[in-house]
Amino acid sequence: MCGIFGYVGHDRNAADLVLRGLKKLEYRGYDSWGVAVGHRDQVVLEKRTGKIGDAVPDLPASAIGIGHTRWATHGGVTEHNAHPHLDCAGRLALIHNGIVSNYRELREPLVRSGHRFRSETDTEVVAHLIEECLAATPAGPEQLVTATMTAFRRLRGLNAIAVADVRTRQIAAAKSGSPLVLGWSDHGHLLASDFSALLEHTRRVTFVEDRQAVLLSRERCRVFDADTGRELTPAITEVEWEAAATELSGYPDYMTKEIHEQPAVLRRLAEAGGEHARRLAAMIRDAGDVFVIGCGTASHAALAAQYLLARIAGRRVTVASASEFPYLGDFVGEGALVVALSQSGETIDVIDAVRAARQRGARIAAMVNVEGSTLWRLADLTVPLGAGPERCVLATKSFTAKLAILLLTAYELADEAAAAATLIERAADEIERLLADDRRDLIRHVAEAIHTREHLFVIGRGPSYPLALEAALKVKEVSYIHAEGFAGGDLKHGVIALIEPGTPCLVLAPRDETYDDIMAGAMQVKARGAMLIGVSPEPHEAFDYHIPVADLGPATAILNAPPAQLLGYYLALLRGHDPDKPRNLAKSVTVK
Ligand code: F6R
């Protein structure tokens, strides 16, 4: 959560450059933002609440700047609490991602020695702490980074901090837990929470490791061990994503763009995902216990893995939400394999679970989208999702990409790899048709019919059960309609009490062995007045609306995702919400 961006170089338009970077990071948090630049050895600051939108900074020309987009943890959404935060002298501007868990005990002595605090945040304490450390550090080219490391060593929690000293025209940063990437460009040095924000300047990056510190100036970029102060040789990587992939390219928003990118992503995986699936299948074959974990949408993909691997390959795996996984830790040990699913590769609950499992002797495989992310670097085997940048806060193409790789892996385990690639190509064709033909209008029409309702239920059985959970999540997070997904068989064990005349119920009814039973459940809610929206190859007289999807056997799960993505999208528009940035959410959940 929170995006941080910094620049020092030759371009005197630092404020614009930083704000452009922040816009790319806004998916990490968007309740307020701020930019600071140096002018005549003083920090000049602009902070605002709300999304960045079309804001143009009103700041003087400067070749050094830092900025922040916030997802509030400590202190309400106000301009005072927005970052950057300053020291007392107005020489330092500080931005932060994470939580300083001991901020209270650090703050008291600072207040006693006269530091003036202007916000309620845990962050501001770091600005004043660095100010103190700076005063106690001998002057010289490394004074700022030395003071920053001294202060950083006193922080508890998982944090990334960056501080600009506008007098020396340097930026120092340090991290533990939260991501930080350096960019090496022709016109200067940059840092950001995510390398995709750097792509318009450079593809040459350094992923800062935990407990490292960095010092950026116009001329140099140096990396240090934050605990010993020893200078390290930075490892520079060339990332593959293109800057253009982060643009809207004519789509009205990222959600639409990313829904429409699914066929291309699936085709790429059908063609080139086989080798990764082979490696993952080999690891699963060699492992004792296999655990599949993820959070949110990724946990639904993990649940889908359980069905796909069991039904196609006869392989039993244990599935857990990554945030609950540590409590099952006793079962993880030598010989176990943890398969972690994550779009961002930065979700703290996933990272923590993986680290704990590794300490117990487990091997780690990761299905991850963001190149070079923490999970990507941690895993023994990384399976790239290859979905390209996903900017909308809702996961769409990364979800169907995970399903495709899981399908490839399950068929690989069953020694039928070629069958999976064909199915995925067919799924790509089907989704392309769905997005182009009159089913799109039909889904919009369904959204119009239900957009004023308070509740929506989704039911699915067997392999469609994880899809029911995912469909409900898509609808609720973007439309704010209360939506719940259920295993079809569970409906009459309580939930049916909530069905009233007109309550919309989405029924996932593929033509498989779940069909008769799911339709029986659907009829029971219909008998109590529910409005049925069938997602099925078969029409049925009980459906008030029928969204036809093809029958692709085990790959039907992939086809069942886009209708709910579109439904959520249209509901959001009809209810006047921004589909890319739903309230209270952030795409990369890097705090507990
Ligand atoms: C829902 C959504 C979230 C993420 C979850 C995990 O649309 O995007 O539920 O799936 O926060 O994120 P990653 O996959 O980055 O670990």
Side-chain angles (χ1 to χ4, degrees):
M1 339 285 268
C2 299
I4 69 185
F5 194 95
Y7 173 74
V8 51
H10 296 276
D11 189 336
R12 291 192 46 76
N13 231 339
D16 279 339
L17 190 153
V18 169
L19 198 72
R20 282 204 308 279
L22 290 185
K23 280 192 184 180
K24 304 238 162 67
L25 294 171
E26 223 183 356
Y27 70 87
R28 304 178 67 87
Y30 34 82
D31 52 41
S32 54
W33 59 272
V35 176
V37 298
H39 183 63
R40 298 194 181 126
D41 288 351
Q42 282 291 303
V43 175
V44 189
L45 195 60
E46 185 169 337
K47 302 207 258 193
R48 299 211 203 141
T49 56
K51 295 171 191 164
I52 298 172
D54 297 326
V56 180
D58 184 18
L59 290 167
S62 174
I64 182 168
I66 60 173
H68 185 269
T69 174
R70 182 170 185 243
W71 189 85
T73 60
H74 292 60
V77 179
T78 65
E79 277 181 19
H80 282 305
N81 290 338
H83 305 204
H85 292 285
L86 307 192
D87 65 337
C88 295
R91 165 183 175 177
L92 304 178
L94 181 118
I95 49 180
H96 167 225
N97 173 20
I99 295 175
V100 180
S101 48
N102 59 335
Y103 79 101
R104 283 225 199 102
E105 68 198 59
L106 294 172
R107 184 178 161 126
E108 268 170 35
L110 289 165
V111 172
R112 274 202 303 276
S113 57
H115 287 268
R116 279 175 294 113
F117 281 78
R118 305 171 184 94
S119 78
E120 300 146 7
T121 61
D122 54 333
T123 303
E124 193 181 357
V125 82
V126 188
H128 294 284
L129 194 58
I130 295 177
E131 181 177 26
E132 288 263 314
C133 295
L134 201 60
T137 307
E142 290 164 17
Q143 186 184 15
L144 179 69
V145 74
T146 305
T148 302
M149 290 191 282
T150 310
F152 176 72
R153 291 197 280 266
R154 295 186 57 195
L155 309 183
R156 284 209 307 267
L158 301 177
N159 297 291
I161 55 168
V163 59
D165 180 346
V166 298
R167 212 169 287 168
T168 60
R169 312 268 140 175
Q170 290 176 317
I171 297 176
K175 71 151 251 173
S176 62
S178 299
L180 198 59
V181 189
L182 301 181
W184 305 74
S185 88
D186 295 340
H187 59 82
H189 296 112
L190 304 109
L191 61 83
S193 303
D194 169 353
F195 78 82
S196 66
L198 303 174
L199 286 175
E200 71 167 273
H201 306 285
T202 182
R203 300 224 308 257
R204 294 179 72 230
V205 303
T206 296
F207 294 102
V208 182
E209 300 292 345
D210 281 351
R211 306 216 64 80
Q212 287 184 345
V214 300
L215 180 64
L216 276 63
S217 63
R218 195 170 69 178
E219 294 76 21
R220 293 183 74 186
C221 186
R222 300 166 69 189
V223 178
F224 300 83
D225 179 317
D227 290 316
T228 63
R230 192 169 57 89
E231 187 159 359
L232 307 167
T233 309
I236 301 177
T237 309
E238 189 112 358
V239 290
E240 282 179 14
W241 283 2
E242 300 286 341
T246 63
E247 304 301 328
L248 272 176
S249 317
Y251 288 99
D253 44 59
Y254 285 104
M255 187 168 177
T256 308
K257 178 182 186 230
E258 288 157 14
I259 288 173
H260 281 77
E261 282 173 344
Q262 291 178 108
V265 172
L266 292 171
R267 284 190 191 111
R268 273 204 302 275
L269 288 173
E271 196 187 320
E275 187 49 41
H276 293 295
R278 245 187 305 290
R279 290 206 195 111
L280 179 57
M283 256 177 127
I284 292 175
R285 242 185 235 117
D286 290 347
D289 289 331
V290 178
F291 300 89
V292 189
I293 63 169
C295 288
T297 289
S299 75
H300 301 153
L303 191 58
Q306 192 169 42
Y307 286 96
L308 292 173
L309 293 171
R311 289 157 61 88
I312 298 167
R315 182 59 155 109
R316 179 172 52 83
V317 300
T318 304
V319 169
S321 160
S323 60
E324 286 300 304
F325 190 59
Y327 310 115
L328 302 167
D330 291 350
F331 301 108
V332 183
E334 294 284 341
L337 172 69
V338 174
V339 184
L341 311 186
S342 175
Q343 189 285 131
S344 62
E346 300 293 351
T347 302
I348 188 69
D349 285 320
V350 177
I351 303 296
D352 273 6
V354 159
R355 286 201 170 119
R358 151 92 38 89
Q359 271 185 355
R360 287 169 164 272
R363 301 195 76 206
I364 310 298
M367 263 186 222
V368 54
N369 196 36
V370 177
E371 243 181 289
S373 57
T374 303
L375 184 61
W376 179 292
R377 286 176 286 135
L378 259 178
D380 299 302
L381 173 73
T382 300
V383 178
L385 294 180
E390 195 177 61
R391 284 257 167 269
C392 172
V393 165
L394 281 82
T396 53
K397 59 178 177 168
S398 64
F399 177 66
T400 42
K402 283 177 198 135
L403 295 184
I405 292 171
L406 290 167
L407 202 69
L408 286 168
T409 308
Y411 274 100
E412 183 65 44
L413 280 166
D415 293 325
E416 293 174 42
T422 309
L423 280 175
I424 293 165
E425 271 163 23
R426 286 180 57 201
D429 294 345
E430 276 301 327
I431 293 175
E432 201 157 67
R433 274 195 282 276
L434 172 97
L435 296 174
D437 66 26
D438 51 8
R439 284 174 289 178
R440 232 185 112 118
D441 294 331
L442 171 63
I443 295 169
R444 191 190 292 122
H445 186 56
V446 172
E448 279 161 6
I450 68 173
H451 78 280
T452 55
R453 306 298 307 201
E454 219 178 317
H455 308 285
L456 169 83
F457 296 100
V458 192
I459 54 172
R461 275 179 174 257
S464 301
Y465 168 46
L467 270 294
L469 300 181
E470 175 58 9
L473 180 60
K474 284 297 87 94
V475 168
K476 81 180 122 190
E477 65 184 334
V478 73
S479 73
Y480 319 152
I481 291 176
H482 168 237
E484 292 298 333
F486 291 97
D490 276 355
L491 197 73
K492 50 189 156 306
H493 299 288
V495 187
I496 202 159
L498 299 174
I499 303 291
E500 293 174 346
T503 304
C505 184
L506 199 67
V507 182
L508 306 183
R511 202 187 287 127
D512 59 15
E513 81 268 28
T514 66
Y515 184 80
D516 289 343
D517 290 343
I518 197 75
M519 284 314 302
M523 296 304 285
Q524 291 152 16
V525 290
K526 176 85 179 175
R528 282 147 186 92
M531 173 204 287
L532 295 191
I533 305 147
V535 178
S536 174
E538 304 281 355
H540 193 289
E541 60 189 5
F543 291 154
D544 296 277
Y545 296 93
H546 173 215
I547 303 166
V549 289
D551 187 5
L552 280 185
T556 309
I558 300 177
L559 298 185
N560 277 342
Q565 297 168 351
L566 284 179
L567 183 63
Y569 176 76
Y570 289 127
L571 286 169
L573 294 192
L574 286 161
R575 291 163 67 93
H577 306 315
D578 177 349
D580 286 344
K581 299 189 187 81
R583 72 179 176 209
N584 302 340
L585 295 178
K587 190 155 184 72
S588 184
V589 183
T590 55
V591 294
K592 287 268 186 184

